[in-house]
Amino acid sequence: MAQRKPVCLVIGAGSGIGGHVGKRFAEGGYHAVLCRRTDDEGLTRLVQDIENRGGTASGRILNAARENTIEDLVSEVEHDIGPIEVAVFNLGAQIGDRQLADTPYKTFELGWRLAVFALFRLATALTPHMLERGRGSILVTSATAAVRGNAGQHSHAGAMGGRRMLCQSLNAEFAPRGIHVVHILVDGPVESPDTLGKVVLGDSGYQKFLEENGRGKDRIIIPAELAESYFHLAHQHRSSWTHELDLRPFTVLPCWNH
Amino acid sequence: MAQRKPVCLVIGAGSGIGGHVGKRFAEGGYHAVLCRRTDDEGLTRLVQDIENRGGTASGRILNAARENTIEDLVSEVEHDIGPIEVAVFNLGAQIGDRQLADTPYKTFELGWRLAVFALFRLATALTPHMLERGRGSILVTSATAAVRGNAGQHSHAGAMGGRRMLCQSLNAEFAPRGIHVVHILVDGPVESPDTLGKVVLGDSGYQKFLEENGRGKDRIIIPAELAESYFHLAHQHRSSWTHELDLRPFTVLPCWNH
Amino acid sequence: MAQRKPVCLVIGAGSGIGGHVGKRFAEGGYHAVLCRRTDDEGLTRLVQDIENRGGTASGRILNAARENTIEDLVSEVEHDIGPIEVAVFNLGAQIGDRQLADTPYKTFELGWRLAVFALFRLATALTPHMLERGRGSILVTSATAAVRGNAGQHSHAGAMGGRRMLCQSLNAEFAPRGIHVVHILVDGPVESPDTLGKVVLGDSGYQKFLEENGRGKDRIIIPAELAESYFHLAHQHRSSWTHELDLRPFTVLPCWNH
Amino acid sequence: MAQRKPVCLVIGAGSGIGGHVGKRFAEGGYHAVLCRRTDDEGLTRLVQDIENRGGTASGRILNAARENTIEDLVSEVEHDIGPIEVAVFNLGAQIGDRQLADTPYKTFELGWRLAVFALFRLATALTPHMLERGRGSILVTSATAAVRGNAGQHSHAGAMGGRRMLCQSLNAEFAPRGIHVVHILVDGPVESPDTLGKVVLGDSGYQKFLEENGRGKDRIIIPAELAESYFHLAHQHRSSWTHELDLRPFTVLPCWNH
């Protein structure tokens, strides 16, 4: 019965990190609740893919920027599906490189709304449930921009820097009460048809990039492999918890190097 | 004639850092434009104090959280008073220690609005003027919470972390074009009748604290002394610019120590 | 045949992290080569313990501070036992809290010799073998003192800060050539009869500490649990490598908090 | 009378930062004691240059890597010349980019001996004198390699990382007792005929580099300008001390950016 399984809730479950992390937890015995803003069809395929492998999952179209969406989702999942043992917060706020003069107020605000405020709302809604059970994991995907600003990154860095400090604050309050918060710094390009493919490189550029850097070359993060680390982090013994780590392909210069 | 002087614009000019930095720049030949949210009387006293010492200054009551206030201010000062050679961004967003459950959404959002968005708005309005002149300084007061989260600091750290990364991004875009952005990490208590006095300790608690730690003991930041470093930073030669520094009383353990 | 197994070489294999990491890799199919400075008897017990569980291991008494010891060890293991696929560098350099005036030159130098120079020597001897195979992992145990100095930590921090930057440098040169270097920041007390027991708290103090904080309470790092993360790190897919992470008990305030 | 002046002791006083910092302090009323490893003639010119401007200075040829040299120097200066109010530790340990295989043990050890151990020795010898007076400043020139490793920087980063953590440790012990320790991260090329000229670019390369980036362009740190910040730091009021800051030309991307 799906209802009795522990739930892994993924906010931001597309074809990249979020979807593959959902699959990994489903494989590991969790019911995956997969949320994304658009593409009902892609979402259905993801759920079916999990079910075809013998797992269970549900899909939700969710606009995390809108009032009460995250709050209602948490209530509903806790009530109707099962205890959220693991939440994966995987909303991005990258808008590409833009000079300050080309960064509208609305864009800057939306970056914060998705990257910081949505996590604050999720934590506010979810931690009471986790505190009652005395345990739970909140795994937060983050980016290089959380640890260093850069030209053209006013919106992204201004948001991600807040996300990281919020994670440290959540961890300081909740770790001693059994909730494991992890800030996962993804410091390299990720194989992701939706984001890197459609948004950044375009379809044909993306195919070429994959041929040169993808499977076998491994110069781009393969999200199914990255998902192993998410799963490991959620299952670290509480005597030995990680709060921050970085991940990147072996060929990618870390963000602190030139 | 005041109009011909270079202007030092201070956003957040109370009885602590902001006011004293304004005084220091007035003493150094700038016309100080001092802005604060409330206390018209205190503002008038500050302006008179500067004029009594032979300097020039103007005061403005300004609600930085409200639309267009900062933008209009920049236009008006540039048009009516003089070129803003130095801007001191000194808005705080400390709300005291609060658990997540005691941090309302409105409070969290206001923290971001003052700590991050207002700086983004100031930079958007001011940098075109500075770029035209090929020079200028933006000195940003920041806090320990910009480099580490802490229990009870969800709002403050979530905001200040964004402020720091925004400063790095602004610096990366604008430093090579002549605008000096500095992130000034004030990592200790500051002698400030308004903030530390009224908000944090109360009047009598504050008096006691001053006696034990103030002048002569120097265990609390004396803003007139701190202001010397602000003035120095704004006058570093462009071959030798500082982007980040920390400051604290000699007796205060730095934020990275226990 | 033990000779054909991949080797996990542990430099600093006592009753805490090193020994348990060795056990974990033995359990995972590696031949563990366990090195420590003293206590032949304890070393023999460790090897037997591994063999009793069906694994294979060898023990070596090794003075890492002495010339050629590490270099000879690497040659010998590669020649006589098997390819060193994983090296765990686990030498500590903690000498307790000592004021500068109580830190002799010899002590300060020994700290560097063990914490930094021995790692440099290991990397110099081992990387040619790993480069030939196009793969390998070097897992470096590190400490809070690698990221912040502190009163009484002149020797420890002066050494560990160097260790961390050396790890970043090794990673920058060798990661793109297939060698995974990880800096593992162990930021909390570790259950370790030798170190915490004999050196720091004394036998009876240590027993009391264990009762209050050990198994079940989990307020102290249980090295067998920590070892799971070492094993995971050595098996991350090369598209998704971690270079730095921290670990601590859930109740321990991270090093960046007060 | 030179003997009664406060002394500014510069360890590493060549034609770049060290020499110009010495000049700045001499101009500000200090007797400068300038130490360098070689080039007696250059040293004499530096002393005369200071004297020609009405200041006072002494020169010492000093091999800081050799036993007792720093210790004897401190005794002698304190006894014969005057109280060392400010010490500028300006020894570099850059050896250019070298792969691990091209970094001899001796070179790696010498890097540590100059970058870390010499500072530890200076602090050990000097702090008792400063503690007696209840005041003093130790200004430590540092480098990008103190905050991030890099390929080819095994020796430099392995040394500078230790230097930074040692500075934090010294600061933690001594700041509350009146000694101001500053870690000055010089994050860009410096106009320095000896280092950048002779060692790195060669004479003609250096001239070309100066023409393209030097005076007027200001894309290279002008040490006489940088020296202003050293002087400011040594004179910060103890209620408002900086422990760490970075400096670079306005056109140079900070070390944390790509």
Side-chain angles (χ1 to χ4, degrees), chain D residues 68-87:
Chain D
N68 293 324
T69 48
I70 295 174
E71 295 78 352
D72 292 347
L73 170 74
V74 168
S75 293
E76 185 207 309
V77 172
E78 285 277 341
H79 190 270
D80 297 346
I81 303 188
I84 302 171
E85 296 286 344
V86 178

Side-chain angles (χ1 to χ4, degrees), chain B residues 77-122:
Chain B
V77 172
E78 285 278 340
H79 191 270
D80 298 345
I81 302 187
I84 302 172
E85 297 285 345
V86 178
V88 177
F89 187 80
N90 190 49
L91 295 180
Q94 181 57 278
I95 54 165
D97 269 354
R98 297 220 205 165
Q99 290 208 320
L100 184 67
D102 300 327
T103 310
Y105 283 18
K106 286 267 175 223
T107 303
F108 190 85
E109 178 166 347
L110 185 60
W112 169 78
R113 227 164 255 295
L114 292 173
V116 191
F117 192 50
L119 173 59
F120 172 76
R121 289 166 53 208
L122 173 66

